[in-house]
Amino acid sequence: MQENSLKKRYSIKLFANIISGIIGAILVAIVLKALGPVAYGQFVYLQDFFMKAIGFLDMGSSIAFFTKLSARHTRKELISFYFLYSIAVLFIVLLFVYGVKSLGYSEKLLPNIPSEYIFMGLLFGFLSWFTQIFIKISDAYALTVSVELIKIGHKIASLLLLLCFVYVTAFDLHKYFYFQYIALISFLLIISWLFVKKRIFENVFSLKFSILNLSKEFIEYCHPLVIYSIVGLIAGFFDIWLLQKIAGSEQTGFYGLAYSLAAMCFLFTSAMTPIITREFSKSYEKKDLENMRKLFYRYIPMLYSIAAYFAVFISIQSENVLAIFTDEKFQNAYPVLMIMALYPIHQTYGQLSGSVFYATGKTKLMRNISLFTQPLGMFISFGLIYILDFGAIGLAVKILILQLIGVNIQLYFNAKFLNFKMKSFVYHQIYSIVFFVVIAYISSHVFSFTSPLINFLTSSTLYTGFVIIGAYIFPKVFATDRDEINTLFLRLKNVTKK
């Protein structure tokens, strides 16, 4: 199977992410206004609860699946095996929820959540996770271009479907779950058709393989992640449970809103994560550490700055962003968004730097880092949410603090493994943030209009212009040089002429 180049795969994934981000923003705006903060908060809690429960049962196995399939995509028995594992995951979660409801513990684990939504949230969580497995298969086989084009078309169709749900039916949380089911299942069917066409699923369900041997192979990779998953589950569930229990569904809704809007800043960099993980896996398979080091130097600081470019501006413009996307019911979410918007900056580092650990099988190290950071995070959450009663603001602050600590611990070990100096990366984290904060603040205070949308668009235009000028003067901000920038401008000029 002929593969597209890394640049082409990233470009199309980036383009798809931009389109998905725009449509996603419209979807969020429609849903927020239609549901309100309480119902949306219930949805956020159920989504987070079941994604964490399924993530615990995943135990890093989906990463192992992707890493092994990327290294040798002829191993189709991995696909057969993981489908069986997915069915087992669904059965275990169903059994767990049934047990919780039968024993009368649902109110303790799912406070302020009507019981009719629990199984609906379970199915949504599983389908969301299962969709990501299919996307991992497509990335492992370098089908990024085809899948991302499908995602664009599917996203547009989903938007039209949601408009029908909102304006034709009596839209509520039940209807929102039904919309999600239709969107997710239709996407899985379309991708399955592509896999059949590309012969990826050829003989997959008739292959003879040893479940015992493959189980041992996955266990060897994942067993250090069992503790990692348990600690991650407890810490992650504790955060959202404490917020829901102490502050209520409205604060959970504010947090979910801020997280959804902040995640849009991650669109440009998340496109690179599966691609660079695949490249790390292939390089490590060949023991080519020099290429891994080049990839790290080339993409990590650059994508960090791209994330910072968006995140800092959204943070400064958080009042305008809320006025554009929501109504007066979400006005109090402003400080939460201002803090949470900065989350994607170091999340980018975490995703890309962490991909080195997964690609090289250093799962024990991942576990050990987690054993330090996750209990620390629970301690911070307890102080900020329970003792100080900061609600969603407290959870946002906790996430930022823990992300900063965890990412730089990862960076330290990657620097040792790939034999480079960590100091330059730390300096880059600091001066690039200062660069964007100064420009964003100036750009946001040059003009003042009564319309939030005009304010946002005017400031963003100024901001982008100032960033381009600043990047040419200080190219190290984007981990590049003037020659490369001049070459880029020349290419854009030629494309414009054509």
Side-chain angles (χ1 to χ4, degrees), residues 27-51:
L27 290 171
V28 168
I30 294 170
V31 170
L32 287 170
K33 291 177 181 177
L35 290 181
V38 175
Y40 186 69
Q42 291 170 344
F43 172 78
V44 169
Y45 185 81
L46 286 167
Q47 179 186 37
D48 202 88
F49 178 86
F50 284 111
M51 288 305 290

Side-chain angles (χ1 to χ4, degrees), residues 233-390:
L233 173 70
I234 294 171
F237 174 68
F238 177 77
D239 282 348
I240 197 72
W241 176 85
L242 190 66
L243 181 64
Q244 177 79 2
K245 185 75 175 176
I246 302 300
S249 295
E250 184 177 69
Q251 285 290 310
T252 305
F254 290 166
Y255 165 74
L257 161 65
Y259 189 91
S260 297
L261 293 176
M264 294 176 193
C265 304
F266 195 50
L267 293 173
F268 283 76
T269 54
S270 63
M272 195 59 162
T273 304
I275 296 171
I276 200 169
T277 301
R278 184 176 187 271
E279 297 304 314
F280 279 142
S281 298
K282 289 174 67 179
S283 296
Y284 187 70
E285 183 81 4
K286 299 172 185 175
K287 304 302 177 186
D288 188 357
L289 296 185
E290 180 59 32
N291 190 51
M292 292 182 71
R293 182 162 50 248
K294 285 179 181 177
L295 287 169
F296 200 96
Y297 262 97
R298 174 63 177 163
Y299 292 107
I300 307 298
M302 179 187 291
L303 292 167
Y304 173 87
S305 290
I306 292 173
Y309 161 78
F310 290 100
V312 168
F313 185 72
I314 295 297
S315 178
I316 298 291
Q317 287 279 320
S318 52
E319 282 187 285
N320 285 328
V321 171
L322 281 178
I324 294 167
F325 286 102
T326 65
D327 51 28
E328 65 279 356
K329 291 179 287 187
F330 288 90
Q331 282 181 346
N332 293 332
Y334 150 65
V336 187
L337 177 59
M338 187 173 67
I339 298 165
M340 202 66 203
L342 302 174
Y343 168 66
I345 300 175
H346 277 86
Q347 175 70 353
T348 299
Y349 244 100
Q351 291 282 340
L352 297 173
S353 183
S355 64
V356 177
F357 288 82
Y358 288 119
T360 56
K362 293 183 180 296
T363 50
K364 287 183 180 179
L365 187 52
M366 289 283 289
R367 176 199 63 193
N368 294 340
I369 293 171
S370 175
L371 288 175
F372 169 72
T373 57
Q374 296 293 2
L376 175 63
M378 292 175 67
F379 177 77
I380 296 171
S381 293
F382 183 80
L384 292 174
I385 299 173
Y386 183 78
I387 297 176
L388 298 178
D389 196 23
F390 283 170

Side-chain angles (χ1 to χ4, degrees), residues 398-410:
K398 173 261 176 179
I399 287 173
L400 279 190
I401 292 172
L402 202 68
Q403 188 71 26
L404 182 65
I405 294 170
V407 159
N408 282 287
I409 293 174
Q410 285 185 352

